[in-house]
Amino acid sequence: GSAMAAVRDVEIDPEGTFKYILVRLQRPGGQEQRDIVRGTKAAEFHNHIFEKVNPEMEKLGYECKCLGGGKIDHNSKDKKIKVFGLSTGYGKADHSVTVEILKKVYTDYEITWSDDKK
């Protein structure tokens, strides 16, 4: 599916610490699926991110499922990203999966994760 390829793997703020969610996209009744990362300081709660992503993806014909959340600390100056924390509502995303997705986009970054809350 070229439409699925058109969906960006990662959309996160260029700088700062903010909430993020890991979202699974799937074609209804289809086998094709992929996971994407979305995060922004504009979201006070994790569900605010999902509520924005979900309708966008439904328009493209995908079902969305939130696999969990956490926080991202994006330091663009030092080219470092830290993934940590969890979402109260969605539970903790598998940060190791998130890191692999981030690495596809931020190829020259040092990207790490931990289960710490801060």
Side-chain angles (χ1 to χ4, degrees), residues 47-66:
N47 62 306
H48 292 169
I49 308 172
F50 189 73
E51 283 160 13
K52 186 174 173 294
V53 174
N54 197 34
E56 288 174 6
M57 296 305 148
E58 280 181 345
K59 271 198 208 100
L60 298 171
Y62 299 111
E63 287 171 347
C64 284
K65 185 171 142 208
C66 184

Side-chain angles (χ1 to χ4, degrees), residues 18-110:
F18 44 85
K19 292 183 167 70
Y20 94 88
I21 56 172
L22 186 61
V23 179
R24 174 153 292 162
L25 304 183
Q26 200 158 7
R27 284 271 183 231
Q31 292 308 300
E32 192 191 8
Q33 61 175 45
R34 61 183 274 226
D35 297 343
I36 60 171
V37 174
R38 295 291 183 268
T40 176
K41 276 200 275 274
E44 191 185 347
F45 300 105
H46 287 91
N47 62 306
H48 292 169
I49 308 172
F50 189 73
E51 283 160 13
K52 186 174 173 294
V53 174
N54 197 34
E56 288 174 6
M57 296 305 148
E58 280 181 345
K59 271 198 208 100
L60 298 171
Y62 299 111
E63 287 171 347
C64 284
K65 185 171 142 208
C66 184
L67 303 179
K71 284 187 165 179
I72 286 176
D73 179 47
H74 188 174
N75 181 335
S76 53
K77 187 167 61 74
D78 296 341
K79 295 198 171 182
K80 283 183 180 170
I81 294 177
K82 276 206 310 260
V83 185
F84 63 99
L86 52 81
S87 160
T88 317
Y90 296 120
K92 187 176 82 67
D94 184 338
H95 297 325
S96 63
V97 171
T98 302
V99 165
E100 289 312 307
I101 298 169
L102 290 168
K103 281 179 177 169
K104 289 199 266 184
V105 178
Y106 295 94
T107 49
D108 56 347
Y109 269 58
E110 182 192 321

